Amino acid sequence: MSIAHGPETVVLKPSKPTSLLAALLLHPNAVVSTTYLLRAVWDEEPPATARAALQTCVLRLRRLFAKYGISATTIEAVPGGYRMHCDTDTLDLVQFRALAARSGSADGPGEELYRLREALTLWQGQPLANVASRMLHDDAVPALEQERLRVLERVCDLELAAGNCHQVLVDLYESARRHPVRERFTEQLVEALYRTGRQAEALAEYRMVRDRLRDELGIDPGPGLRRLELAILRAEELAPAPPEPARAAVGAAAGPAALPAGATAAARPSRAVPPVPAFAGRDADRRAIAARLTADDGPRMVVVSGAPGIGKSALARQTAHEVQEAFPGGVFTLQLARPDGTPVAVEEAARLVPGPAPGRRLIVLDGAAGAWQVLPLLPAAEDAAVLVTSRRQLAAVVATHGGAVHRLDVLRSAEAYALLAGLVGAERIAAEPAATRELAAVCGHFPLALRIAAGRLLTRPGLSVADCAAWLAEDPPARLALAEDAGLSVPEVLGQALDALAPALREAFLRLGERAEAGEPVAGESESVLEQLVEEGLLEDGPPGPYRLHDLLRIYARWRVRTHETAATAGPR
């Protein structure tokens, strides 16, 4: 970390103020809690005087800022913590994210490539190299690296699509060597080698990665690499493939868009919204949501909230299908989260909110990260009915704009049975009713888990429901995943939600999961922590009743602790 002032650049020394500054800069323009800052600065248990010492660190930073012409109000004290005001002119991370986001609206692949290359030039050296905080290195640096790698993957895709195979080889060799289990870089390297006439080297790269994956992880390469190997062995011609568009138009019935790094969501009207395949249950919710959205006397706002994977988006899509005739002006969907869980920037989403049009409109805001992302979009949707899905309950949204919140619970047993019957086939399910109910229980009656289990049954016609349930029950979190799609993976979906939490809140959730018993109330954490976990969609209920932890989340929490402990034990000493 450094401060640039005119021609002078000052590299900060490792110190507690430097760790504090890093923690604030990693969350630009957001409130960073005092608890998080204390852990970032002191790593282990902070001393009794830590809060006072934290204020001293803030004063030292403000004096340093004044020395280099930076306003002291850049660090703002707010209730519960501090906020660091940054923009594209003052922080490379903000500029990087802005360039990556703007690349999605570029006029063609050439301009997109230029903007993404410009964004990558902002990365110089190892992030937080002069920051002493172990917590930030463990939690923040990997996430920052993932942001950079997603942009680099997109750059290499664009270069290959443009036929620049020779030029991109240097990037790909380095990336594939440094990140051997990130298969996309290896795919790109193998493709570039083959298309430049180096067939033997391309096959050697494939086989080296295949052997490493088998030896170290016990898995085979993914379908993309396997298809490339087959194409090379058959001597097929690999013409430059056009890159995926940076802007993906998503109709009201579409699921999460597989947007490339830096891309934004987009909205378009859909006058024929198809139903969700094999949708089952939620009858009362659908009727109540439909009545509010189509009411003549507003407000016509509904928030659908609940745990990750509990079926919020599916319910919104199915309801949109059922009420579409009441909206001659069209049904519009904005995906507010990318497949990796990162939120779409507010300014990008705001440009995609459709303007007024003849006839009533329905706008679906799917996957909102919080009220901060929704509130700026509502003025442009003032004349429309709005349906929002979010893990959060968005109390600030309904408090200021009216509306209702529908908090989803898991499916009832009969609804889970009906969902499996609709997906797998009524006859096959009816042949094993008891095993089907057991399978639904293993899946925690979560729609996400049920659809994954159905996928396994559909791809294995000879597999009985009973055997599938028994196999999944041995290790539900690890086995409730389909390799072809990260969105159909319990550890991926729940892991994204958990990794988005502040470390202290994440650890509290894991402790609750370890202590909780099936069907029993959870306790042992402060009410403030429990309420925050409810708001994040990871706990249910609360005052005046007990707090509850869904069984699938409880099992996942224990699995997460177990696998992380195993990995730590197996690591270098």
Side-chain angles (χ1 to χ4, degrees):
M1 286 199 343
S2 62
I3 297 176
H5 180 61
E8 182 182 4
T9 298
V10 179
V11 178
L12 302 180
K13 296 180 180 179
S15 64
K16 287 181 171 55
T18 301
S19 294
L20 170 62
L21 180 59
L24 291 169
L25 291 176
L26 286 167
H27 303 86
N29 304 310
V31 176
V32 186
S33 72
T34 301
T35 301
Y36 179 83
L37 294 174
L38 291 174
R39 290 201 59 227
V41 174
W42 277 275
D43 280 317
E44 307 300 335
E45 193 68 27
T49 59
R51 289 181 179 270
L54 187 68
Q55 294 174 354
T56 301
C57 289
V58 171
L59 290 175
R60 289 175 62 185
L61 286 176
R62 286 173 173 164
R63 292 192 192 104
L64 180 65
F65 290 170
K67 180 179 178 181
Y68 293 102
I70 303 172
S71 171
T73 59
T74 299
I75 301 181
E76 178 189 8
V78 296
Y82 292 88
R83 175 165 46 211
M84 184 91 179
H85 295 281
C86 306
D87 57 27
T88 55
D89 294 327
T90 57
L91 181 62
D92 284 349
L93 181 60
V94 174
Q95 187 177 3
F96 169 80
R97 289 170 174 167
L99 286 167
R102 286 202 300 272
S103 71
S105 58
D107 293 330
E111 183 181 343
E112 182 187 359
L113 180 59
Y114 176 82
R115 290 181 179 179
L116 293 179
R117 284 285 191 195
E118 185 182 359
L120 288 174
T121 62
L122 296 169
W123 289 80
Q124 300 178 15
Q126 180 66 22
L128 308 189
N130 55 334
V131 175
S133 171
R134 289 195 305 275
M135 187 200 87
L136 293 181
H137 281 279
D138 291 343
D139 293 347
V141 171
L144 286 175
E145 182 68 0
Q146 290 304 309
E147 286 192 64
R148 185 185 72 85
L149 292 178
R150 283 193 294 270
V151 171
L152 182 56
E153 281 182 356
R154 178 63 178 167
V155 163
C156 294
D157 279 337
L158 291 167
E159 295 279 22
L160 290 173
N164 301 328
C165 299
H166 285 285
Q167 295 91 320
V168 81
L169 275 174
V170 173
D171 282 336
L172 289 175
Y173 267 122
E174 180 184 1
S175 300
R177 294 291 185 270
R178 292 184 61 187
H179 309 281
V181 297
R182 197 176 180 101
E183 290 188 32
R184 183 59 192 143
F185 284 132
T186 303
E187 285 181 40
Q188 293 168 327
L189 176 59
V190 171
E191 179 184 343
L193 288 169
Y194 181 59
R195 285 172 53 192
T196 52
R198 297 153 74 171
Q199 177 179 350
E201 289 181 61
L203 284 173
E205 287 292 334
Y206 169 81
R207 287 165 183 165
M208 181 175 66
V209 171
R210 178 198 63 191
D211 294 345
R212 181 185 292 114
L213 290 173
R214 287 177 176 175
D215 293 344
E216 297 180 6
L217 302 176
I219 60 175
D220 286 321
L225 271 173
R226 295 199 300 271
R227 284 193 297 268
L228 266 177
E229 182 204 25
L230 189 59
I232 295 170
L233 293 173
R234 290 175 174 173
E236 296 176 359
E237 182 178 354
L238 292 180
E244 292 291 328
R247 290 164 290 180
V250 184
L259 300 177
T264 63
R268 63 180 176 87
S270 178
R271 296 180 185 276
V273 183
V276 176
F279 189 90
R282 311 285 197 205
D283 294 341
D285 285 304
R286 281 166 26 223
R287 286 194 298 269
I289 294 171
R292 179 168 289 273
L293 292 176
T294 57
D296 291 328
D297 54 336
R300 300 187 303 276
M301 160 103 57
V302 176
V303 174
V304 178
S305 70
I310 209 161
K312 302 180 291 295
S313 295
L315 174 60
R317 290 160 52 194
Q318 181 67 19
T319 306
H321 162 73
E322 293 172 0
V323 302
Q324 60 185 319
E325 295 302 325
F327 296 97
V331 176
F332 300 78
T333 291
L334 272 71
Q335 296 289 346
L336 298 183
R338 298 186 175 89
D340 63 358
T342 57
V344 172
V346 170
E347 56 271 18
E348 293 295 327
R351 287 198 289 269
L352 298 167
V353 177
R360 299 176 67 188
R361 300 172 300 147
L362 172 62
I363 297 177
V364 182
L365 304 176
D366 194 19
W372 62 267
Q373 197 181 27
V374 175
L375 288 171
L377 306 180
L378 295 181
E382 191 173 1
D383 64 329
V386 180
L387 178 56
V388 187
T389 72
S390 176
R391 292 202 310 271
R392 296 174 172 271
Q393 299 179 76
L394 304 184
V397 174
V398 294
T400 56
H401 288 75
V405 177
H406 283 257
R407 181 77 172 186
L408 297 190
D409 209 330
V410 296
L411 294 175
R412 296 191 294 271
S413 180
E415 293 173 330
Y417 187 100
L419 178 58
L420 287 170
L423 291 168
V424 179
E427 290 186 9
R428 188 173 176 188
I429 292 300
E432 298 181 79
T436 299
R437 287 190 286 273
E438 176 61 25
L439 178 60
V442 169
C443 294
H445 297 93
F446 264 67
L448 170 66
L450 291 165
R451 288 184 179 273
I452 294 169
R456 291 208 169 272
L457 288 169
L458 287 169
T459 55
R460 295 165 174 79
L463 179 66
S464 71
V465 177
D467 286 343
C468 181
W471 181 75
L472 289 175
E474 291 177 4
D475 196 357
R479 294 180 174 178
L480 281 169
L482 301 181
E484 296 85 357
D485 187 351
L488 290 173
S489 165
V490 165
E492 186 74 21
V493 171
L494 297 185
Q496 284 182 4
L498 201 57
D499 292 340
L501 300 180
L505 203 57
R506 183 189 316 146
E507 292 170 7
F509 171 79
L510 295 175
R511 287 195 298 269
L512 288 172
E514 287 191 280
R515 291 194 298 258
E517 298 297 333
E520 296 294 323
V522 297
E525 301 290 339
S526 70
E527 183 177 290
S528 172
V529 167
L530 296 174
E531 282 295 311
Q532 289 180 70
L533 290 172
V534 170
E535 181 62 17
E536 294 290 346
L538 297 173
L539 279 184
E540 303 302 319
D541 290 337
Y547 293 92
R548 296 181 298 120
L549 180 61
H550 285 310
D551 202 40
L552 185 65
L553 296 181
R554 177 184 64 84
I555 294 171
Y556 169 77
R558 294 184 174 187
W559 174 84
R560 169 102 171 205
V561 171
R562 184 178 73 249
T563 54
H564 278 56
E565 286 179 350
T566 302
T569 302
R573 302 189 176 205

